[in-house]
């Protein structure tokens, strides 16, 4: 099993990340996902939304353009600057917070929290992932909602491809090697990049715990968040074994 440092998330989200996932981070994908979040959460103009692990702020900016009052929180300061720049270019404002997702510096503040594109399950233990959900619960108003979007573990295992690759428009090839640990439920992925000129280098990988719906519901319950509905994709299909995503909406008690 490939060894990936436990703090992989401090290295992986670099200049390679948006290139590796360029198609899935496109503007069209962002608009589709953001529109789904608005509908699934019943968001209205003026609602306060926290985009937790917001990255470059693509969803945060899209929601701000729809009239929400948005805060983006991320551990990567460079990404937060990109988010602020993107908001300014779109003629909107977002607040940003530079912090680990386990430490959300708000209490009873938000109508909704979103955590998109498998930005959950980063840490070594369930206790640390539970800390994230407890921090989310604390940051939500009573009756506020969490939308948590991850890969569907059942679908991943049914469609597992250990080695894959793709080439971008600039001729760079991205080689992807995956290993799933059936004991820990962690999906470890490493990347090699071959440039158009033929130079090869390694890029940091990621190591994410993929929870089952049963496991995640248990953690949500402990955190004071009750599962409302689970979707299987951004079109709102019901969650099932054969849907690629597991998108849960949970409500604060």
């Amino acid at each position: 099993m490939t060894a990936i440092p436990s703090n992989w998330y401090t290295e992986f989200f670099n200049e390679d990340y948006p290139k590796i996932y360029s198609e899935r981070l496109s503007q069209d994908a962002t608009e589709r996902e953001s529109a789904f979040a608005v509908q699934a959460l019943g968001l209205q103009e003026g609602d306060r939304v926290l985009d937790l692990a917001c990255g470059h702020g693509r969803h945060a900016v899209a929601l701000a353009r729809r009239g929400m009052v948005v805060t983006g929180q991320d551990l990567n300061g460079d990404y937060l600057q990109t988010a602020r720049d993107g908001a300014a270019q779109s003629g909107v404002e977002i607040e940003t917070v530079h912090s680990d997702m386990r430490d959300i510096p708000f209490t009873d503040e938000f109508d909704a929290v979103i955590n998109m594109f498998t930005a959950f399950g980063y840490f070594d233990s369930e206790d640390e992932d539970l800390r994230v959900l407890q921090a989310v619960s604390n940051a939500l108003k009573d009756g506020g909602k969490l939308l948590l979007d991850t890969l569907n573990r059942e679908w991943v295992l049914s469609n597992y491809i250990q080695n894959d690759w793709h080439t971008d428009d600039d001729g760079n090839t991205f080689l992807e090697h995956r290993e799933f640990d059936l004991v820990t439920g962690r999906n470890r992925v490493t990347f090699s990049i071959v440039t158009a000129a033929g130079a090869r280098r390694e890029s940091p990988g990621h190591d994410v715990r993929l929870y089952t719906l049963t496991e995640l519901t248990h953690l949500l319950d402990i955190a004071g968040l009750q599962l409302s509905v689970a979707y299987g994709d951004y079109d709102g299909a019901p969650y099932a074994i054969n849907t690629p995503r597991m998108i849960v909406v949970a409500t604060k008690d």
Side-chain angles (χ1 to χ4, degrees):
M1 188 70 68
T2 301
I4 296 177
S6 61
N7 65 340
W8 60 267
Y9 46 85
T10 65
E11 301 293 334
F12 176 66
F13 296 105
N14 56 23
E15 66 276 6
D16 289 334
Y17 170 73
K19 299 175 185 176
I20 291 170
Y21 292 112
S22 58
E23 289 188 8
R24 298 173 67 186
L25 301 176
S26 69
Q27 187 62 37
D28 286 346
T30 299
E31 289 301 319
R32 177 188 176 203
E33 294 158 13
S34 300
F36 168 78
V38 169
Q39 182 176 16
L41 291 167
L43 294 175
Q44 305 290 327
E45 286 190 22
D47 281 350
R48 293 216 57 195
V49 180
L50 173 65
D51 185 355
L52 185 62
C54 68
H56 295 95
R58 60 193 186 99
H59 297 112
V61 173
L63 293 178
R65 289 203 310 268
R66 288 169 166 81
M68 285 88 220
V69 180
V70 183
T71 298
Q73 178 172 328
D74 203 274
L75 188 60
N76 189 312
D78 291 338
Y79 280 12
L80 290 176
Q81 184 59 57
T82 300
R84 291 190 292 269
D85 292 344
Q89 291 168 8
S90 294
V92 296
E93 293 184 3
I94 62 170
E95 179 185 11
T96 58
V97 176
H98 187 194
S99 179
D100 187 297
M101 72 175 85
R102 290 168 289 191
D103 299 305
I104 303 175
F106 300 96
T107 300
D108 300 330
E109 188 77 22
F110 296 101
D111 299 290
V113 175
I114 63 171
N115 180 259
M116 306 285 285
F117 203 58
T118 315
F120 182 77
Y122 285 6
F123 304 113
D124 280 347
S125 69
E126 286 188 14
D127 288 343
E128 293 302 297
D129 290 334
L130 176 59
R131 276 186 59 191
V132 176
L133 297 178
Q134 289 171 327
V136 166
S137 183
N138 184 65
L140 283 169
K141 300 175 182 177
D142 288 343
K145 296 180 179 181
L146 164 68
L147 187 149
L148 193 156
D149 161 41
T150 74
L151 277 170
N152 177 5
R153 171 176 164 155
E154 320 296 350
W155 180 88
V156 167
L157 292 178
S158 297
N159 297 273
Y160 209 76
I161 300 174
Q162 189 167 48
N163 295 294
D164 202 359
W165 62 276
H166 70 277
T167 301
D168 67 13
D169 292 338
D170 296 324
N172 302 304
T173 299
F174 302 90
L175 310 173
E176 188 169 345
H177 176 72
R178 308 181 183 101
E179 297 177 4
F180 193 90
D181 188 325
L182 290 168
V183 175
T184 64
R186 302 193 74 88
N187 194 39
R188 298 184 176 95
V189 184
T190 55
F191 299 90
S192 299
I193 300 174
V194 181
T195 68
R200 176 169 175 153
R201 60 183 174 83
E202 305 306 308
S203 185
H206 57 74
D207 179 6
V208 177
R209 167 75 182 271
L210 297 181
Y211 285 91
T212 66
L213 183 57
T214 303
E215 293 167 340
L216 183 57
T217 300
H218 176 64
L219 292 184
L220 289 167
D221 285 342
I222 296 172
L225 298 164
Q226 298 301 310
L227 178 69
S228 299
V229 63
Y231 298 101
D233 60 29
Y234 301 119
D235 293 323
Y239 171 76
I241 290 174
N242 61 348
T243 57
R245 310 299 299 177
M246 182 175 73
I247 309 171
V248 303
V249 176
T251 305
K252 181 176 178 178
D253 292 336

